[in-house]
Structures are given as C-alpha cells and as structure tokens.
Amino acid sequence: MDSATFRLLGHQFVDWITDYRQRLETLPVMSQAKPGDIRACFPKTPPAVGGRLKEVLAVLEKDVMPGITHWNHPSFFAYFPSNTSYASILADIVASGLGVQGMSWQTSPAATELEEVVMDWLRQMVGLSAAWTGVIHDSASTATLCSLLCARERASGYSQNSKGLQSGEAPLVVYASDQGHSSIEKAALLAGFGRNYLRLIVTDDVHAVRMDLLKSAIESDLAAGLRPCAVVAAIGTTGTTALDPLKDIAELAKKYHLWLHVDAALAGTAMVLPECRWMWEGIEASDTLVLNPHKWMGVGFDFSAYFVRDVQHLIRVMSTNPSYLRTAHDGEVKNFRDWHIPLGRRFRALKLWFFLMDVGVEGLQERIRRDLRNAQWFKAQVETLKEWELMAPVTLQTVCIRHVPEPMRGDEAALMRHNLEIARQINDSGKAYITPSVLKGRQMLRVSIGAETTERRHLEALWGDLQRFSSEE
Ligand SMILES: *Cc1c(COP(=O)(O)O)cnc(C)c1O
C-alpha cells in the first residue's frame, strides 16, 4: 500500500468508526449470530492476490458486524463495562502507527518514560502512596499470575534459580475467596501451587471472605506442616462486587508472613473517587495490586495496571538477565520487559495519556459518580416491587437481582428457569444485554452498569423490559 492510499483509507475507516459509534444505539446489543455463521462468509483459503483492501469496508458491514456484540452500547449491562473511549481509539492508532516495541528503555525511551509518567498519575488518581510503582500489563489475569509467582519465589527463597518445584520442600498454600475471579485459580494452578493447595474460603452473607474461616484454614495448614504462602483479596468480586475485609486480611497476612495480592480489576476505577477509598482500607499493607483501566475507566483493552511495592523483587523473579539488574538498581532507566512475562510490549501508555487529556480527572470522577447514582436508582426501583429481590448489596455499579413470583417462592429450580427465560428474552430482543449468573446455587440477573454512554433513560428502558418480560413469562 502506498502512502496516498493509506491516507485515503485511513480517513474512510475513521469515518466508519465514527458512524458506527453514532448508530450504536440502534443496533442489537448482543450478536444474534449462530455458531459458524461468520466463518461461512469467508473463503477457506487466503487471498492469493492483494490490492483488495478497498473491498474490506463492505465485507465488514455485511459479514462481520452481525457477529459483533456491542460492548460500548449504552444498553450493554453484561459482564463488566469495557469502555473504549474515542481518545483511546486515537491513541491506539498512534501506537500502531509508530509501531514501536517498548521492551527496554533503549528500544524507545518515550514508551518507557511516558508509561512511568501515566502510571504515576494513575497511582495518585486512586490515592495510593508513593511507595507503589506501576507497570502496564495486558490483563489482570497475567498480573495476578506474576504476583503469585513473586509470592512463590519469596516464600521459597528464589527456588526457581535452583530446583524450582522439584525441591521437595513442604507444599506452599494460596488462599482466596470462593467469590474470587477465575483468574486467581488459573494463576495459582499455572504458578504450580496445585489445586490441592488452593483454598477457596467460604464467604458470608454479603459475599465477602469469612475471616474466621480464613484464619482457621491457615492454622490447620500450619499444623499439617504446610507452608501458607499467599492470600488474594478481592476488592469488588466479579459476581457481586463484594469487598473482602482488606484491613483484617492484611493483619492476618502480616502475622503469618503471607504475600498479599489485591484484585481490584473492576472496582479499582472507583478509587478515583475519594469517597470510595474506604472500600480498600488496608491497601498500603498489601504487596501487589491490579486494577483494569480497560474496564470501567475508559481506556480501551488492553491496559491493566499492576502496582507493586517491591520492584527489585519483581525484577529478580521476572528477569532472566542478571547483568541487567545492575542498571535496575541505579534507578536511571527501567526495562519493562523484566516487569512481566512477555518480552515485546506495545506503546499502551498513550491510551491513558490521551484519555486523561480528553476527560481530565474531574470529568472521569463525574462519570463514575453518574454510574454509581444510576446503580442506586436501579436498586431503588427493584426495592419498590415485592416480587423482585436484590441478591447482594449494591456497593458500586453492579446490581444483582432476581424475579420471585409468589407461586415459585422457595422452588429454586422453577426460579432458575423463570429468571433464565427473562434474561433470554431481554438478550434476544437486542434492546439490552444482561448476564444471567448463579450465585451460591441461586439464579440471578446481573446488571452491570457503566458504559460511557449509559444514561438514566437506558436503565429506565431496561427496568420496563424486565417487568414486562417477567410478567409475560
Ligand atoms: C475482569 C476481572 C478479572 C480479569 O481481568 P482480565 O484483565 O480480563 O484478565 C480479574 N478479576 C476481577 C475481579 C475482574 O473483574
């Protein structure tokens, strides 16, 4: 492709994205495609001759769009918000345009140094002390894996440099809530702890980890000759945004010398509001923390923020280049390839920079407050009707509900079918998208609020549809 064609097509594609965003609200939120539908639109063999990029726009419209679920739709209430702001789209274009690999300072000093700058901005924005240093990861899943690897290596005295998992020492144990994200389980398994040594602690009525059970689990493991190693606290569980009692967990971690990782992937964004910071009281006593600006904040995927207090330990675990450590110690430059698993890294710092230049911290705070108010409004509607139940406290932007018609009360199987059917009707209608999910054996409807474009009227429409489908069903 020559430059003139790139310029022409580039403008066309930006126009296309803009038109898409403008008509987003008119599209069915959840893709109605059936398995194989999209695959069948494409030839089985690659294009033999090029020069056909001009055809792509039409094919995008006709064959790709039907297979898209519109995560930035104002009536997207499924999973979690995945806000990809205009500003971050532009930053992604610039990052791709520059096409740099920022694995070390030398490979593009600006990629490293702008990352230092924006991660320090983010640290300040969520009220963390200067004892924390941040690095951008692709996802919370890999950040949590890194954290548990660091936990393993601290407890084992850097066993990876000798016998690793084969050293024959007593097994190390990891603790987390039974409401923790699946990435915690995955990280513990991939880090080699073994399922037998992962304790998912039962939670209380508000779905926070039970401290009495956590303590007794640690003590019985100690009595059995095992080595309690790490605890992962969830600040905002995936199911209900429950808050584990971080301050108490931190005290326990200190007493038993446990590594403490905090998973605030979604809820971390709320800490931009000073009035929400009580939710993670105790954070300064933890070792590592992950939060995802690529969820509710507005920075498009991928941008996960991993904060650590002991940078040297992280580098000692993640770097395979001992000579490099000397540069790290002098503190002059950072080589971020030694701060996580991949070597290569995109220039993702641009996204947070552009985003903040566009909305400012105050603009972001206003939007988060709007979402919190919308969630409280929705909760208040649910409370006005006897047949609707709240399944969990509404701490942030997630509202967990179910419909309980009088004749079905107490019949969990019937309630499950009934609520699944409501979710199916909502989602098939294309007007909104919610997630049916099971909380401790009980079927619920999860309404996760916080797309950039979601206003009160979208929630009013959803509430109307929920009532209509629940009474028709
Ligand atoms: C979304 C989420 C994750 C996983 O995030 P990825 O960045 O997709 O790996 C982990 N924990 C919690 C609490 C989450 O909400």
Side-chain angles (χ1 to χ4, degrees), residues 296-437:
W296 185 15
M297 194 173 285
V299 178
F301 192 84
D302 56 342
F303 193 122
S304 185
Y306 182 50
F307 284 96
V308 304
R309 293 175 75 92
D310 187 348
V311 172
Q312 289 315 315
H313 177 63
L314 172 68
I315 292 173
R316 198 164 159 193
V317 175
M318 290 292 150
S319 170
T320 51
N321 177 4
S323 68
Y324 158 71
L325 284 172
R326 283 194 294 277
T327 355
H329 275 290
D330 69 23
E332 251 199 323
V333 300
K334 294 190 172 105
N335 292 306
F336 280 130
R337 64 168 182 234
D338 295 312
W339 292 52
H340 56 29
I341 296 169
L343 169 67
R345 51 203 330 270
R346 303 192 309 117
F347 194 172
R348 287 174 292 213
L350 290 168
K351 290 193 280 195
L352 185 56
W353 176 38
F354 279 34
F355 175 67
L356 291 173
M357 289 300 281
D358 185 40
V359 301
V361 176
E362 288 173 12
L364 174 60
Q365 288 175 326
E366 244 170 71
R367 209 199 73 225
I368 299 168
R369 289 194 180 106
R370 176 203 66 182
D371 297 341
L372 296 177
R373 282 194 303 272
N374 280 340
Q376 290 303 322
W377 176 85
F378 198 78
K379 168 186 177 238
Q381 306 315 300
V382 172
E383 284 172 332
T384 59
L385 295 185
K386 213 169 80 266
E387 293 206 326
W388 286 92
E389 276 178 7
L390 279 173
M391 306 290 285
V394 181
T395 329
L396 293 167
Q397 43 58 265
T398 305
V399 188
C400 299
I401 59 175
R402 67 173 179 171
H403 188 240
V404 184
E406 212 41 58
M408 289 184 205
R409 195 167 286 277
D411 183 348
E412 284 302 325
L415 286 173
M416 181 170 281
R417 278 194 304 275
H418 176 65
N419 281 276
L420 278 174
E421 184 55 23
I422 297 170
R424 191 191 63 75
Q425 294 201 39
I426 294 272
N427 296 344
D428 283 0
S429 79
K431 287 163 65 186
Y433 186 15
I434 59 175
T435 314
S437 94

Side-chain angles (χ1 to χ4, degrees), residues 4 19 35 56 82 99 103 115 186-187 190-191 236 244 269 273 283 296 309 350 378 387 392 407 430:
D19 292 342
V56 161
S82 185
M103 64 269 264
E115 181 159 334
K186 192 183 240 186
L190 291 177
D244 284 341
T269 289
L273 302 182
I283 189 71
W296 185 15
R309 293 175 75 92
L350 290 168
F378 198 78
E387 293 206 326

Side-chain angles (χ1 to χ4, degrees), residues 175-177 184 209 231-236 244-246 249 260-264:
Y175 306 83
S177 138
I184 298 165
V209 80
V231 54
V232 181
I235 296 303
D244 284 341
L246 186 54
I249 294 176
L260 173 53
H261 174 58
V262 174
D263 177 4

